[in-house]
């Protein structure tokens, strides 16, 4: 199983690819919208890229709960272990 | 006629022969072709394996994240608009946004985004369709993104008429200024259709040249050996400005846009009227609206795509409208070097016409080894000087659907 830090690092690369945010800025306490300026359409791209990268399903209803990078990493960890 | 005078105060392009205006103009004067082998694996799938591929990839100019959110057609438009806006000086002294507009179509729209997303849907499922697909592929995406760049809050429009689109953009910009709806309108056209589907489609229409051998020799308007056009890609943008606005800020003026003529053949969806009657009416209308007489015209940038029928029809319409004055007109075809940019063609050729008027020199038509005997025009086969003093020039564009647009430019 991937560690929390491994998931965060991969997620940071995805956010960098989609939205151009420096990967080092993508830390667990950061809000996608308020801190990283990831708009709603880019968030959909991030979610789809995560589904492929981590081999998990992230339902549309769940996306609104993923406010911070930490929320997303925790969801992916649970999904992988579940 | 006391219509508001409209000046061209900025130019920008990214084309098959250069990544900006200086390199494009130098290539056109030097008679350098931008037609080359397709640099894509899919070229194996189709019989035509050449095109006027862009000289400088837009991803070399635009930020990576910005570029990935834009269809290739919008990338070209934005690169050209950035150059034109800076060239006009309006980047340093921005106009009133509510008095600023855009008229910048493409002929086909975001076809690469559309088909790329269809491939993703078919191969990997709906979840892989980009949430940005619609704002990328919509036909007004180039105009809207250029509008965001120049902060245009006036009319932002995309007047589509196939291969006449770019010229219609110029004509619409003039109208908006003369109707008092804007002081500044960023006009032009763009196209990015070098993809196997549009190339197969044009090939199936028998519109594309099937010539093999040296790619730079294939586009040969008016030559006896012409057999169809070569597809090109790219964009060109002109900044149009009311005389009052341009003078108030001391803008550098390249040329004046005197007026335009817009007609339709109403003959066939794809074939031009063989006698060029609709095009002739567009030229006549452009002269009338511009308050010009036939003897004022000293240069025509022809539509001349290198198709057997169209090149002959254009010669007929020039004689029908200019009469004996046609003898003092130097004609050229930019497409001999760039290929046919479809919705971008009228814009790039307007830009070439403006520079020909401004510098008083006409770029050559290349590959004209033996003129078709059915064509009686004074075609530039080397750079040709234009006279001192006041004169006017026309840029012709014709499109599927029967659209004909002639725009008249003049020295200032």
């Amino acid at each position: 199983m991937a560690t929390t830090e491994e998931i965060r690092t991969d997620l940071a690369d995805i956010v960098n690819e989609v939205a151009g945010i420096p990967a080092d800025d993508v830390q667990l306490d950061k809000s996608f919208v308020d801190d990283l300026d990831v708009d709603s359409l880019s968030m959909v791209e991030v979610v789809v890229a995560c589904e492929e990268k981590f081999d998990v399903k992230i339902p549309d209803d769940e996306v609104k709960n993923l406010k911070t990078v930490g929320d997303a990493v925790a969801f992916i960890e649970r999904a992988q272990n579940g | 006629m006391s219509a508001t005078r409209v000046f061209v105060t900025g130019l920008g392009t990214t084309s098959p022969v250069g990544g900006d205006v200086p390199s494009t103009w130098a290539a056109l004067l030097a008679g350098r072709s931008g037609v080359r082998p397709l640099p894509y694996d899919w070229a194996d799938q189709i019989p035509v394996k050449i095109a006027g591929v862009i000289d400088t990839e837009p991803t070399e100019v635009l930020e990576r994240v910005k570029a990935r959110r834009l269809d290739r057609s919008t990338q070209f438009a934005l690169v050209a608009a950035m150059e034109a806006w800076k060239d006009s000086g309006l980047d340093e002294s921005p106009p009133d946004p509510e008095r600023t507009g855009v008229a910048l179509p493409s002929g086909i729209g975001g076809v690469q985004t559309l088909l790329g997303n269809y491939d993703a849907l078919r191969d990997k499922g709906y979840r892989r369709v980009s949430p940005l697909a619609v704002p990328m592929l919509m036909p007004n995406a180039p105009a809207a993104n250029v509008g965001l760049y120049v902060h245009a809050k006036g009319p932002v429009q995309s007047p589509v008429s196939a291969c006449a689109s770019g010229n219609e953009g110029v004509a619409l910009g003039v109208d908006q200024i003369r109707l008092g709806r804007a002081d500044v309108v960023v006009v032009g056209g763009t196209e990015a259709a070098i993809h196997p589907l549009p190339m197969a489609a044009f090939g199936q229409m028998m519109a594309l040249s099937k010539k093999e051998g040296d790619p730079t020799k294939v586009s040969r308007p008016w030559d006896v050996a012409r057999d169809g056009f070569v597809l090109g890609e790219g964009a060109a943008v002109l900044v149009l400005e009311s005389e009052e606005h341009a003078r108030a800020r001391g803008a550098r003026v390249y040329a004046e846009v005197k007026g335009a003529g817009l007609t339709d053949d109403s003959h066939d969806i794809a074939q031009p009227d063989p006698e060029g009657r609709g095009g002739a009416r567009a030229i006549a209308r452009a002269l009338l609206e511009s308050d010009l007489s036939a003897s004022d015209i000293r240069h025509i940038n022809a539509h001349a795509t290198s198709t057997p029928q169209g090149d002959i029809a254009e010669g007929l319409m020039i004689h029908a409208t200019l009469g004996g004055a046609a003898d003092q007109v130097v004609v050229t075809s930019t497409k001999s070097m760039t290929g046919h940019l479809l919705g971008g063609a009228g814009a790039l050729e307007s830009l070439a016409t403006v520079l020909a008027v401004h510098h008083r020199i006409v770029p050559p038509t290349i590959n004209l080894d033996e003129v078709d005997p059915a064509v009686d025009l004074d075609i530039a086969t080397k750079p040709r000087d234009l006279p001192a003093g006041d004169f006017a020039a026309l840029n012709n564009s014709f499109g599927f659907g029967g659209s004909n647009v002639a725009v008249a430019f003049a020295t200032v």
Side-chain angles (χ1 to χ4, degrees):
Chain A
M1 274 301 123
T3 66
T4 301
E5 179 56 17
E6 284 166 350
I7 294 172
R8 189 202 64 79
T9 305
D10 286 345
L11 175 58
D13 288 342
I14 289 169
V15 173
N16 175 261
E17 170 65 23
V18 169
I21 312 298
D24 287 349
D25 290 358
V26 184
Q27 298 297 335
L28 295 177
D29 61 335
K30 292 288 182 3
S31 158
F32 287 108
V33 174
D34 298 335
D35 298 324
L36 302 179
D37 205 22
V38 176
D39 65 26
S40 61
L41 296 183
S42 295
M43 193 63 196
V44 176
E45 289 194 284
V46 168
V47 164
V48 172
C50 284
E51 288 188 333
E52 185 172 28
K53 177 80 191 172
F54 302 112
D55 193 24
V56 296
K57 291 279 176 233
I58 306 177
D60 289 347
D61 290 348
E62 197 61 46
V63 175
K64 63 180 184 300
N65 299 324
L66 307 180
K67 298 201 185 314
T68 66
V69 173
D71 294 340
V73 170
F75 182 90
I76 291 162
E77 281 186 301
R78 280 200 306 277
Q80 285 188 327
N81 293 328
Chain B
M1 202 158 98
S2 62
T4 305
R5 297 178 72 190
V6 177
F7 291 163
V8 181
T9 59
L11 298 173
T13 189
T14 183
S15 79
V17 297
D20 57 15
V21 171
S23 59
T24 294
W25 182 239
L28 294 180
L29 285 178
R32 202 154 58 237
S33 174
V35 179
R36 51 187 162 271
L38 290 168
Y40 307 113
D41 295 341
W42 53 257
D44 296 342
Q45 302 169 22
I46 55 172
V48 176
K49 300 180 191 308
I50 59 164
V53 178
I54 204 81
D55 175 82
T56 304
E57 281 296 320
T59 47
E60 293 176 28
V61 183
L62 300 172
E63 287 175 54
R64 179 184 63 83
V65 171
K66 180 79 182 165
R68 73 183 293 282
R69 297 173 72 101
L70 303 173
D71 182 77
R72 187 170 174 84
S73 61
T74 298
Q75 293 175 1
F76 293 154
L78 192 57
V79 168
M82 288 162 66
E83 184 187 15
W85 198 239
K86 188 171 196 304
D87 185 51
S88 72
L90 289 167
D91 60 326
E92 297 286 337
S93 56
D96 178 352
E98 294 186 14
R99 303 286 305 156
T100 303
V102 178
L104 200 162
S106 95
I108 295 189
V111 67
Q112 299 201 34
T113 296
L114 176 66
L115 295 169
N117 277 275
Y118 180 67
D119 289 344
L121 173 69
R122 187 191 51 208
D123 298 342
K124 297 179 176 173
Y126 89 98
R127 199 68 174 143
R128 297 301 294 272
V129 172
S130 170
L132 298 166
V134 169
M136 287 171 72
L137 69 83
M138 61 191 191
N140 61 322
N145 280 285
V146 168
L148 285 169
Y149 182 75
V150 303
H151 305 296
K153 295 184 176 180
V156 173
Q157 300 169 280
S158 313
V160 172
S161 49
C163 302
S165 298
N167 237 11
E168 193 174 337
V170 178
L172 180 58
V174 173
D175 288 350
Q176 296 296 28
I177 291 172
R178 289 191 171 156
L179 287 167
R181 292 174 178 159
D183 300 321
V184 175
V185 184
V186 177
V187 305
T190 186
E191 204 74 80
I194 299 179
H195 176 286
L197 192 138
M199 289 198 69
F202 282 118
Q204 290 290 82
M205 294 182 86
M206 309 296 163
L208 294 179
S209 173
K210 294 189 175 67
K211 273 190 198 313
E212 296 181 350
D214 184 350
T216 68
K217 305 284 189 201
V218 174
S219 184
R220 38 196 321 119
W222 298 299
D223 187 85
V224 287
R226 72 190 184 282
D227 70 339
F229 74 81
V230 173
L231 186 60
E233 64 176 355
V237 166
L238 292 74
V239 176
L240 303 187
E241 202 167 344
S242 71
E243 177 184 25
E244 184 182 5
H245 197 276
R247 297 245 192 253
R249 69 185 188 91
R252 179 264 331 272
V253 176
Y254 285 105
E256 179 174 359
V257 198
K258 300 291 282 187
L262 289 81
T263 67
D264 200 281
D265 285 352
S266 193
H267 165 74
D268 183 82
I269 195 66
Q271 299 298 328
D273 178 324
E275 293 171 48
R277 286 171 294 199
R281 285 188 296 111
I283 292 172
R285 179 73 213 171
L287 295 177
L288 179 70
E289 185 173 315
S290 304
D291 205 13
L292 292 167
S293 59
S295 60
D296 295 321
I297 305 297
R298 305 305 290 269
H299 167 48
I300 294 178
N301 189 309
H303 187 61
T305 60
S306 187
T307 57
Q309 261 204 331
D311 293 8
I312 291 174
E314 190 166 8
L316 297 176
M317 69 182 74
I318 289 169
H319 282 283
T321 48
L322 302 187
D327 296 344
Q328 57 172 12
V329 175
V330 180
V331 181
T332 200
S333 170
T334 305
K335 293 184 184 80
S336 65
M337 293 170 274
T338 62
H340 189 349
L341 272 62
L342 309 178
L348 180 58
E349 290 153 25
S350 285
L351 183 147
T353 310
V354 166
L355 287 172
V357 167
H358 181 66
H359 295 297
R360 296 177 190 270
I361 187 166
V362 176
T365 299
I366 65 169
N367 300 326
L368 187 54
D369 296 333
E370 186 183 348
V371 181
D372 186 325
V375 175
D376 179 23
L377 295 169
D378 180 7
I379 301 162
T381 52
K382 57 184 188 344
R384 290 273 299 274
D385 290 332
L386 289 168
D390 295 340
F391 67 87
L394 293 173
N395 182 37
N396 290 343
S397 291
F398 314 119
F400 287 161
S403 294
N404 308 295
V405 183
V407 178
F409 298 92
T411 51
V412 173

